[in-house]
Amino acid sequence: MSNITMCITSFNRWGLLLQCLQSFTALNKYSIDSYYISEDSGDQYIVEKIFQNYQNLFNEILTSNKIGQMKSIDRMYNLVDTKYILQMEDDYKFYGNPNFIEESI
């Protein structure tokens, strides 16, 4: 299997982020080496929710105060040391094909 890191950008949308993470973890069968998330709102409630529900999933939870999506992505990508990156946003929802990562590679 190829090395892959999942990176998620989020901005103060816990409900959508939760739906994204639940749908991804329920469907995905591919081994992910590293998980990173960048919550750019600076809202501690969202950060606490991520920690409470998914602290064992993420290698690092990056927080910032409105630096923007591109700078958030740059921060995460600087941590990546795998061959592939699966870039997601908090409003993605996964359904249907459990082999979507293999087919994408």
Side-chain angles (χ1 to χ4, degrees):
M1 284 193 174
S2 300
N3 294 333
I4 191 163
T5 297
M6 182 181 79
C7 294
I8 301 177
T9 54
S10 183
F11 188 91
N12 201 25
R13 301 194 300 180
W14 171 245
L16 289 172
L17 177 60
L18 182 60
Q19 177 180 279
C20 173
L21 293 169
Q22 288 174 336
S23 67
F24 179 80
T25 56
L27 184 65
N28 178 51
K29 304 299 180 220
Y30 197 84
S31 177
I32 306 294
D33 293 295
S34 302
Y35 291 83
Y36 296 101
I37 186 166
S38 179
E39 171 53 52
D40 193 38
S41 71
D43 186 335
Q44 281 304 313
Y45 171 80
I46 301 295
V47 174
E48 288 171 17
K49 286 296 203 183
I50 296 168
F51 273 113
Q52 288 171 1
N53 293 277
Y54 289 99
Q55 94 180 67
N56 293 332
L57 179 66
F58 289 104
N59 296 69
E60 191 159 345
I61 300 171
L62 305 170
T63 60
S64 53
N65 194 9
K66 302 175 186 167
I67 63 171
Q69 185 178 32
M70 297 312 295
K71 288 182 181 177
S72 294
I73 289 171
D74 287 343
R75 284 180 68 202
M76 284 188 293
Y77 282 18
N78 283 327
L79 301 171
V80 173
D81 61 2
T82 58
K83 185 175 181 180
Y84 297 103
I85 297 172
L86 173 60
Q87 172 62 50
M88 301 186 337
E89 296 178 22
D90 57 9
D91 61 353
Y92 285 17
K93 184 175 183 181
F94 295 87
Y95 56 92
N97 182 1
N99 299 314
F100 63 95
I101 293 178
E102 294 90 334
E103 292 174 9
S104 296
I105 292 173

